[in-house]
Amino acid sequence: MSIPSDLDIAQAATLKPMDDIARQMDLPTEFLERHGTDVAKIELEAIEAMKDRPRAKYVVVTAITPTPLGEGKTTTTVGLGQAFSHIGKRGVVAIRQPSMGPTFGIKGGAAGGGYSQVVPMEKFNLHLTGDFHAVTSAHNMLSAVLDNHLYQGNAAGLDPYRVTWRRVLDVNDRALRNVVTGLGGRMDGVPREAGFDITSASEVMAVLALSNDLGELRQRLGRIVVGYTPDGDAVTAEDIHAAGSMAALMRDALKPNLMQTLENTPVLVHAGPFGNIATGNSSIVADRIGIHSGDFLVTEAGFGADMGAERFFNIKCRTSGMTPDAAVVVATVRALKVHSGNHRIVAGKDLPPALLEENPEEVHAGAANLRKQIENMRLHGVSPVVCINAFPTDHDSEHQAIREIAESMGARAAVSTHFADGGRGAAELAEAVAEAANEPSDFQLLYPDDAPLREKIETIATKVYGADGVDYAPAANTSIDLYERNGFGNLPICVAKTHLSISSDPKLLGAPTGWRMPVREVRASVGAGFVYPICGDMRTMPGLGKNPAAHHIDVKPDGTIVGLF
């Protein structure tokens, strides 16, 4: 069966008015702040108004370690949300807003795909209601106040060589990774080395995602560390009098956005933290609304279960106090075949022909990765359901192989054709998730707040990643000691590593053992509320490829956007 392009499907959709979508959630329409006819923001007063309503089952969608193409977590999240209506339940979806960097780069948009999409997908992928621009402005406001503080006498005693705050922009632009600011005459500022990250990598974005309300947002912004004195004392946004202006710029961005799927299922779209150096999860405030808006709240955690789900459990749930009832682990035939070690997928290139041949033995050969990710769910006391995300090139025998792997681990499994068939194609998955969510829950965090930072890092490395231990570079040890001396030792850990392996080495497939995790550097996002050890090279400002999507996106005279995918 030939399926139209994502954009063609999205532009043919019949959308319901926002008031109708709100009513499906039992959300009083007086809390809607309409942005046109098909997008609205939700006033934060809705959280208090809805808090005494029944609590939905809370479901997180994660995945096995993905290929560079991704394995369809967003599409599965949307498809599952739609599917609940096909089994007589009400589903609500909560996902991140995508960065425009990937949209104009090689990865494309993040509205789902096929017949499991968030619409209108053009607005979803391009600006939406301006939250990303608010984050960019607030972040760069702090940068401007910081450089002005240095210029005006540096009353806080910042060491110019220990400034840690950079600037951000929501585009892929490798030329801005490293820059020198303050060039020109004496009136043009203090020259120093600096650089740009993409907006989704901003700590302000993580603050947005992890704040429970406006007061907490203001406090977290004030705690952002911009650098250190020569004696190693932290200097914060509050210390240089920037946090208030930042909060003013972020006030409206804290209101989550309301959209809908192709089947008119309510979707809360909010925040977009970077998946490598931050949580990779949508916002707490969106979940606080969604948890009282239906029978099931389905949210997504970025990358594989060793990354996004681990952070969902140990950072987001720790902060929100909300605990999941079930987890969906998305698995694909192609990814498990890649984990067999017999194939290599390169983004932007055709799949290897041999990958598409029927070969259930290769699926079994790559099973270690799926088994380990199922273990990682149970490590946190959460019931896992394996979603077999079906592709047209798959074979029934290969789907059966994934079922056998899941069943050998005592996990439910369901084939889902939500890309081609929408919610109807995920009905089996919805039934399995409903069963898992009704089981007694035994959710538990991986480590206590008061554990030393090194103990927290080593717990994640050994229990979640399967490492034998951790090796710290001298600079990493120095930073950990500095953070604990400054009172940051109670923060949770967000390990920055490759998403292409459970290990810290992207070349190690499956569920590698017999390795040690190298930590070359450790940084602190004190405002967001976590410490992140860096294992390998992390690009926080992507570049455009030779043939990016930006070459093909255009607008017709009637305003119709073309070229998005």
Side-chain angles (χ1 to χ4, degrees):
M1 178 181 70
S2 178
I3 299 176
S5 73
D6 290 351
L7 184 57
D8 287 342
I9 292 172
Q11 290 179 340
T14 301
L15 277 63
K16 287 186 176 180
M18 284 292 96
D19 284 12
D20 290 355
I21 301 301
R23 291 188 188 100
Q24 289 184 48
M25 304 167 62
D26 293 328
L27 171 66
T29 56
E30 61 260 33
F31 295 123
L32 294 187
E33 180 184 290
R34 294 161 184 79
H35 288 247
T37 59
D38 42 30
V39 178
K41 277 190 167 291
I42 302 175
E43 300 282 353
L44 297 184
E45 288 78 7
I47 296 174
E48 180 68 19
M50 301 172 71
K51 69 177 183 179
D52 294 328
R53 294 183 182 178
R55 181 188 179 279
K57 296 294 186 181
Y58 195 24
V59 179
V60 61
V61 177
T62 183
I64 65 174
T65 302
T67 69
L69 303 179
E71 304 317 308
K73 285 192 310 300
T74 305
T75 308
T76 300
T77 302
V78 175
L80 176 59
Q82 294 180 152
F84 283 114
S85 67
H86 293 265
I87 65 167
K89 304 291 184 180
R90 289 190 303 156
V92 176
V93 174
I95 57 177
R96 288 182 291 170
Q97 180 181 342
S99 166
M100 288 193 298
T103 296
F104 286 94
I106 195 170
K107 188 176 180 180
Y115 290 94
S116 293
Q117 292 189 61
V118 180
V119 286
M121 71 99 80
E122 305 96 310
K123 289 186 179 180
F124 182 88
N125 288 300
L126 303 174
H127 303 292
L128 197 52
T129 57
D131 295 348
F132 266 65
H133 301 312
V135 171
T136 302
S137 296
H139 182 115
N140 291 335
M141 171 66 76
L142 178 54
S143 301
V145 171
L146 168 61
D147 278 309
N148 185 60
H149 186 88
L150 294 174
Y151 177 77
Q152 299 292 353
N154 193 11
L158 262 170
D159 183 345
Y161 294 100
R162 301 183 75 179
V163 171
T164 56
W165 194 252
R166 291 157 60 90
R167 286 170 164 79
V168 297
L169 198 64
D170 193 32
V171 296
N172 288 357
D173 194 344
R174 62 172 56 83
L176 293 177
R177 287 172 181 162
N178 299 285
V179 300
V180 177
T181 59
L183 295 181
R186 185 179 65 84
M187 301 296 291
D188 296 321
V190 178
R192 66 180 184 87
E193 291 186 9
F196 279 78
D197 299 324
I198 198 163
T199 295
S200 56
S202 168
E203 184 176 348
V204 178
M205 182 67 81
V207 166
L208 174 64
L210 290 170
S211 295
N212 280 278
D213 52 42
L214 186 58
E216 184 178 332
L217 175 82
R218 172 63 181 80
Q219 293 171 1
R220 286 177 178 271
L221 291 173
R223 292 198 297 263
I224 289 175
V225 173
V226 298
Y228 296 85
T229 68
D231 293 332
D233 296 327
V235 177
T236 67
E238 199 72 67
D239 292 333
I240 62 173
H241 311 295
S245 293
M246 296 171 71
L249 290 168
M250 291 295 295
R251 183 191 64 176
D252 289 340
L254 188 58
K255 304 170 187 175
N257 304 289
L258 179 62
M259 300 183 73
Q260 61 189 287
T261 72
L262 290 168
E263 297 181 14
N264 312 118
T265 303
V267 182
L268 296 159
V269 181
H270 201 214
F274 205 69
N276 288 101
I277 64 166
T279 55
N281 287 265
S282 57
S283 78
I284 287 173
V285 292
D287 286 1
R288 290 181 69 194
I289 293 171
I291 202 70
H292 298 293
S293 300
D295 298 314
F296 290 86
L297 172 60
V298 185
T299 191
E300 175 190 357
F303 294 136
D306 54 298
M307 295 186 70
E310 185 275 316
R311 297 165 186 176
F312 173 84
F313 298 142
N314 293 298
I315 299 177
K316 185 176 180 181
C317 293
R318 186 188 301 264
T319 303
S320 70
M322 296 168 58
T323 59
D325 297 289
V328 175
V329 180
V330 179
T332 61
V333 167
R334 73 182 184 190
L336 288 171
K337 284 184 173 181
V338 167
H339 282 292
S340 74
N342 296 334
H343 308 281
R344 181 169 177 263
I345 292 178
V346 178
K349 294 187 177 181
D350 292 337
L351 294 174
L355 185 73
L356 307 180
E357 295 175 1
E358 184 172 9
N359 195 334
E361 289 77 17
E362 278 191 342
V363 175
H364 279 287
N369 189 271
L370 175 56
R371 292 193 184 101
K372 179 57 180 157
Q373 301 294 27
I374 291 173
E375 287 179 3
N376 287 339
M377 297 303 96
R378 292 216 172 97
L379 185 64
H380 293 89
V382 180
S383 297
V385 177
V386 175
C387 168
I388 305 169
N389 184 16
F391 285 64
T393 52
D394 296 347
H395 301 273
D396 290 342
S397 63
E398 296 168 334
H399 292 165
Q400 180 58 31
I402 298 177
R403 283 189 188 274
E404 291 167 1
I405 297 163
E407 288 167 3
S408 73
M409 297 294 294
R412 295 175 176 84
V415 175
S416 187
T417 60
H418 48 270
F419 184 92
D421 300 316
R424 177 173 56 86
E428 180 191 354
L429 176 63
E431 294 279 10
V433 169
E435 291 177 3
N438 282 321
E439 292 179 345
S441 178
D442 185 31
F443 177 75
Q444 51 196 312
L445 299 170
L446 196 59
Y447 49 79
D449 290 342
D450 58 3
L453 291 177
R454 289 180 182 84
E455 181 181 321
K456 294 174 185 174
I457 294 168
E458 289 156 16
T459 298
I460 295 171
T462 57
K463 291 189 176 181
V464 178
Y465 305 157
D468 287 345
V470 178
D471 296 322
Y472 301 93
N477 277 318
T478 299
S479 294
I480 290 173
D481 294 340
L482 173 67
Y483 299 152
E484 292 186 332
R485 181 166 69 81
N486 274 278
F488 308 153
N490 65 326
L491 297 178
I493 299 298
C494 180
V495 178
K497 72 174 187 71
T498 179
H499 62 284
L500 298 175
S501 173
I502 290 181
S503 76
S504 58
D505 182 347
K507 297 178 182 177
L508 297 181
L509 302 174
T513 57
W515 62 280
R516 295 182 64 83
M517 187 173 83
V519 176
R520 65 173 179 82
E521 185 180 354
V522 181
R523 299 178 186 174
S525 290
V526 181
F530 54 79
V531 170
Y532 62 103
I534 299 177
C535 310
D537 294 324
M538 295 293 113
R539 288 290 189 195
T540 52
M541 172 55 86
L544 292 173
K546 188 174 182 179
N547 185 30
H551 289 180
H552 310 288
I553 295 171
D554 209 335
V555 60
K556 293 181 178 180
D558 65 358
T560 302
I561 292 173
V562 296
L564 279 172
F565 61 96

